[in-house]
């Protein structure tokens, strides 16, 4: 792996979650020499993601730019998935069956009305459903559901299948996976020039893409102000499963026809059905540092809220419960683009939307790596927007920034 | 395994749960040639048992005889465990720290008063605790707990460790384990004389002990009226775990000092702490036939009720959830003893108390196998008590009964 002299590798991607794998795949498709370093690819936040592709719901209380980025990525999804399936023949569980956001009581109904207003201000017109229309759309909903908003174009994907397919596609396109943790980013000539691996060897490359999720923040070797200020936000999910008897009785695989989201007594919950029969219930949001303990309390809250919206979940089989750490940023928006440190591209901070944002992130980062042109869509997501660049401005460029 | 001619095996035990393993071990200790047949020993009801040793609580609404049998078995537990540890050096998680039965609201308090009356009618005097005394005894109890009854002599054991130790002890004593299902009980000369195994071979023995839990009812080859009328009663449990941080903060391993039981809104729940840090929460009781699906609803109910009594469980780590099938009988009492079919001993139907009743069942069955004398304690638990013997009475003994 260790390469002496001139780097033969064009791109070293640190992190093999959906973001890093998708970038590595796309860059390799462009003919670049790619190495992806991850001790256990797809087993971080990706492994605990539900795979909702719901830009509108995600941006409900956030910024127009996050919504626009998500919308752009959703538009790219069908081609992204078709390309991936063409390359690998592997399924990724993609479906575009919509999201139904429901209100359980009158407080929730008020939240729904606000959401609708916000979304209309983004130029999105969602279909408003009455209580009866909600139940017609999703017969398993609790009869007390008061109304809903249907985002018909929303989709979902199975993140574990997606990671597996990306891994195979990247490999088929010529990218090389190194199953080792990166212990340090290495600089030379004032640029990021490689990464030291756990076995002590150094992988050199013309470009280093930092896509290590929440662990990007603590990456050794980066000059002050360059490491992205991401923090781990713990999310627990539960995977349930419809049984053969339920399927025989005519119930949809995963009990629902589409993703259902709701707020129950102030606490948000979503249920994402899959054609495999899975129903993913998520997710807690906990600020506990790098803790991935699945707790009795997390499971209890998820089951309680899911059961309130869809009482029939109690009959489902329990498959597993996992916790992942999503990379949160100060403004909940991702960080995609260049920093003051030459040779370094950052692609992290996707928080709850890493799966949704993988296509647009991968396409634009790989495009930059090929052409050197920065995509205008990166503008609102510049890694330097938290003041790192103002710190850096006092320094000598090139020399001072790198150890 | 197949033995032609005269059987060299004294005892063939069908079923390697705690009952079958304990009988096989004790019989082998007496110098008998023992074979135990089970495709996956310890993985049936034993695997999903909490391991409470609480004869008083179990018998609360049942019969005096069940209580007396449980009490007798509890008295034998310390020697049983000491003997087992002497033979194997393996831990079984035995502790005798008591059971605290608590009342959450005034309805529960009334139930507790009834329980106490019933228990005093059995000659058992439990310690009645005020709300404050309950919290002094178990600081993690919810402040709204109204009062409790302490059974100081109750204990608990880890059934998975117990099965492992029994397996090793039986082996060390010379018993032979055959990891195959029994497909049929074989008769000859009007007696049960062996069992056909899945590979088609026949294992012959002087005595056949049927200890196959709920599967005993459907055992092929038994004449009508002989198979025990046991049914599978599904029980789901959740295993939680205290974390290293909790232990460092001075909380007891498993959060509680002793087993806590309670009735929450009419629904019974128990919490059994172990020295390993586990806290077992159980158990549902479901009459669904041979279904071992762990359901979202079962987990939700257990977590809800456990949380009501001990709110701190929400901080515990989730370890796993499993479902087992307990062998229930028409009167909830076990079936231990002989039937009209010569050569057959039945030891099943222990319902929720298989772990508790293993010592007394094993000691008395193994004693009979050695001496031919039936223990008087079997009287109330005769397998023929449901009318099987009256059916059999119309038949010719010896010839007609066996195919």
């Amino acid at each position: 792996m260790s390469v002496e002299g001139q780097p033969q590798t064009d791109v070293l991607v640190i992190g093999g979650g959906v973001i890093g794998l998708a970038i590595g795949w796309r860059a390799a498709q462009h003919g670049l020499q790619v190495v992806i370093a991850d001790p256990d690819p797809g087993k971080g936040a990706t492994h605990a993601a539900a795979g909702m592709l719901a830009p509108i719901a995600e941006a409900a209380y956030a910024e127009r730019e996050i919504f626009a980025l998500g919308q752009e990525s959703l538009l790219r999804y069908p081609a992204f998935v078709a390309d991936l399936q063409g390359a690998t023949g592997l399924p990724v569980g993609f479906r575009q069956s919509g999201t139904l956001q429901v209100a359980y009581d009158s407080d929730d109904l008020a939240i729904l009305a606000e959401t609708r207003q916000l979304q209309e201000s983004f130029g999105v017109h969602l279909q408003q459903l009455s209580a009866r229309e909600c139940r017609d759309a999703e017969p398993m909903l609790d009869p007390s559901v008061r109304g809903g908003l249907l985002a018909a174009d929303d989709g979902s994907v199975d993140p574990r299948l997606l990671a597996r397919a990306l891994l195979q596609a990247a490999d088929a396109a010529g990218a090389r996976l190194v199953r080792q943790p990166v212990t340090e980013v290495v600089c030379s000539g004032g640029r990021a020039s490689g990464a030291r691996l756990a076995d002590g060897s150094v992988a050199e490359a013309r470009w280093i893409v930092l896509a290590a999720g929440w662990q990007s923040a603590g990456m050794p070797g980066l000059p002050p102000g360059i490491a992205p200020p991401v923090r781990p936000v713990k999310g627990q999910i539960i995977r349930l499963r419809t049984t053969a008897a339920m399927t025989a009785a005519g119930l949809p695989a995963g009990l629902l026809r589409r993703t259902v989201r709701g707020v129950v007594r102030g606490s948000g919950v979503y249920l994402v059905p899959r054609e495999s029969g899975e129903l993913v219930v998520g997710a807690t949001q906990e600020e506990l540092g790098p803790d991935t303990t699945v707790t009795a309390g997390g499971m209890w809250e998820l089951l309680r809220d899911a059961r309130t919206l869809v009482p029939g979940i109690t009959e489902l089989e329990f498959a597993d419960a996992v916790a992942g750490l999503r990379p949160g940023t100060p403004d909940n928006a991702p960080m995609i683009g260049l920093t003051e440190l030459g040779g370094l591209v950052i692609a992290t901070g996707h928080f709850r939307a890493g799966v949704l944002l993988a296509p647009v992130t991968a396409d634009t980062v790989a495009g930059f790596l090929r052409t050197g042109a920065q995509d205008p869509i990166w503008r609102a997501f510049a890694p330097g927007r938290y003041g790192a660049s103002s710190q850096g401005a006092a320094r000598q460029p090139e020399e001072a920034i790198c150890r």
Side-chain angles (χ1 to χ4, degrees), chain A:
Chain A
M1 174 66 241
S2 159
V3 181
E4 304 300 332
Q6 290 305 305
Q8 297 169 349
T9 303
D10 296 308
V11 183
L12 172 71
V13 182
I14 304 176
V18 281
I19 297 293
L21 291 173
I23 291 171
W25 170 49
R26 286 306 204 194
Q29 280 187 317
H30 290 322
L32 299 170
Q33 291 297 315
V34 175
V35 171
I36 303 169
D38 196 310
D40 208 1
K43 291 292 158 50
T46 298
H47 192 67
M52 272 190 296
L53 307 175
I56 294 163
E58 280 305 323
Y61 302 97
E63 291 168 22
R64 188 183 299 263
E65 286 81 7
I66 301 179
F67 164 67
L69 189 70
Q71 191 78 330
E72 175 61 31
S73 205
L74 179 60
L75 288 172
R76 292 171 189 240
Y77 240 101
F80 182 80
V81 163
D83 205 2
L84 199 50
Q85 285 182 326
T88 64
L90 295 174
V92 299
F94 178 61
R95 56 202 291 191
Q96 209 156 1
S97 43
T99 300
L100 179 60
Q101 187 171 350
V102 299
Y104 185 69
D105 60 23
S106 47
D107 285 354
D108 303 343
L109 215 51
I111 294 175
L112 215 61
E114 277 173 42
T115 304
R116 193 181 171 213
Q117 268 195 327
L118 184 79
Q119 290 168 351
E120 296 199 333
S121 80
F122 290 169
V124 180
H125 298 283
L126 301 182
Q127 195 184 339
Q128 196 161 10
L129 302 191
S130 67
R132 169 183 290 254
E133 287 165 338
C134 282
R135 284 193 297 280
D136 287 348
E138 289 293 349
M140 299 305 287
L141 281 176
D142 189 89
S144 15
V145 161
R146 300 280 297 272
L149 283 178
L150 182 66
D153 296 332
D154 278 4
S156 64
V157 74
D158 183 332
R160 297 181 189 183
L161 297 182
L162 182 64
R164 188 184 61 163
L166 284 169
L167 206 53
Q168 186 170 316
D171 180 69
R176 199 147 55 86
L177 175 70
V178 176
R179 288 188 181 264
Q180 283 192 59
V182 166
T183 57
E184 186 183 19
V185 170
V186 172
C187 294
S188 68
R191 283 177 62 91
S193 60
R196 192 176 307 279
L197 301 168
D199 67 5
S201 67
V202 172
E204 298 191 320
R206 285 198 301 119
W207 286 101
I208 311 299
V209 178
L210 183 57
W214 72 272
Q215 295 186 84
S216 303
M219 184 57 63
L222 292 175
I226 296 298
V230 282
R231 67 186 195 284
V233 182
K234 178 176 168 183
Q236 301 187 47
I237 61 160
I238 297 180
R239 294 190 313 126
L240 306 175
R241 216 160 21 208
T242 40
T243 60
M246 291 175 156
T247 311
L251 290 171
L255 207 62
L256 301 172
R257 295 171 181 161
R258 59 183 66 70
T259 297
V260 167
R261 297 176 60 112
V263 177
V264 180
R265 288 174 290 265
S267 159
V269 66
Y270 54 75
L271 300 95
V272 183
R274 300 203 207 291
E275 272 160 37
S276 64
E278 256 182 39
L279 181 71
V280 181
V281 178
T284 65
Q285 282 199 50
E286 301 163 76
E287 305 267 356
L288 294 168
D291 168 75
T292 53
T293 309
V294 174
T295 63
M299 297 182 68
W300 177 72
E301 282 174 31
L302 292 173
L303 291 170
R304 177 196 62 187
D305 295 344
R307 185 180 160 277
T308 301
L309 294 180
V310 183
I313 67 134
T314 52
E315 303 304 318
L316 296 184
E317 184 178 356
F318 170 74
D320 73 3
V322 290
L325 298 169
R326 295 159 294 195
T329 61
D331 57 4
N332 292 338
M335 302 172 70
I336 312 171
L338 304 181
T339 69
E340 282 207 324
L341 179 63
L344 182 71
V345 180
I346 285 185
T348 187
H350 293 75
F351 196 27
R352 296 174 310 201
V355 175
L356 169 64
L357 297 176
V360 74
T361 304
D363 291 351
T364 58
V365 170
F368 167 79
L369 293 169
R370 184 169 60 93
T371 65
Q374 300 185 43
D375 197 293
I377 209 170
W378 288 1
R379 213 166 290 141
F381 309 106
R385 69 184 182 277
Y386 304 112
S389 59
S390 63
Q391 290 171 34
R395 292 194 222 97
Q396 299 273 326
E398 300 295 306
E399 276 86 22
I401 201 169
C402 220
R403 297 197 299 193

